[in-house]
Amino acid sequence: MKNSVDVRTLLSVYEKIKTQGTATDTGIQLDGITCTENPDGYYVNLSDNNVSLDINFHNTYHFHTANEDPDTVINQTTTEFHNNNEAQIQAFIHKLVELDKRY
């Protein structure tokens, strides 16, 4: 699974959520995407109900999906698991790109 996304777009989305979103108990939210950052500023996080994306200091990023361990999903093959994760990630990327265009 390879996801190529422009880190500048990710950081643009983060900044738009941070400045135009609404504060919640879990971070700042805009259009179903929540952003948080760690206290030292070395990474930020964008997430929705299915995917979480860590953006690190050196412009690297890592996606996490709701169920990262296929052994925890009943009646689902490893291939199905990876396909579902990829679908979740692609949908999340689409949300981020659309949010970036909208604001």
Side-chain angles (χ1 to χ4, degrees):
M1 175 171 26
K2 181 171 183 348
N3 297 292
S4 180
V5 68
D6 182 17
V7 174
R8 284 179 277 169
T9 299
L10 299 176
L11 294 174
S12 173
V13 169
Y14 173 77
E15 195 60 36
K16 290 174 182 181
I17 294 170
K18 190 173 174 181
T19 58
Q20 299 177 47
T22 303
T24 68
D25 291 339
T26 58
I28 301 172
Q29 187 177 53
L30 181 65
D31 290 354
I33 306 291
T34 302
C35 73
T36 58
E37 62 184 38
N38 72 334
D40 60 11
Y42 281 103
Y43 81 87
V44 297
N45 178 275
L46 300 170
S47 63
D48 67 4
N49 292 333
N50 297 313
V51 178
S52 176
L53 170 62
D54 296 328
I55 308 165
N56 301 307
F57 179 69
H58 294 290
N59 291 333
T60 60
Y61 56 88
H62 182 77
F63 289 95
H64 305 274
T65 55
N67 290 316
E68 292 235 332
D69 182 4
D71 294 333
T72 64
V73 181
I74 299 172
N75 296 327
Q76 190 173 45
T77 67
T78 301
T79 302
E80 290 169 333
F81 170 77
H82 288 298
N83 289 340
N84 286 343
N85 286 349
E86 183 64 26
Q88 289 174 341
I89 290 170
Q90 290 303 320
F92 183 71
I93 291 171
H94 181 73
K95 283 184 190 178
L96 297 179
V97 170
E98 288 303 310
L99 191 145
D100 193 40
K101 289 177 186 175
R102 197 171 321 131
Y103 291 93

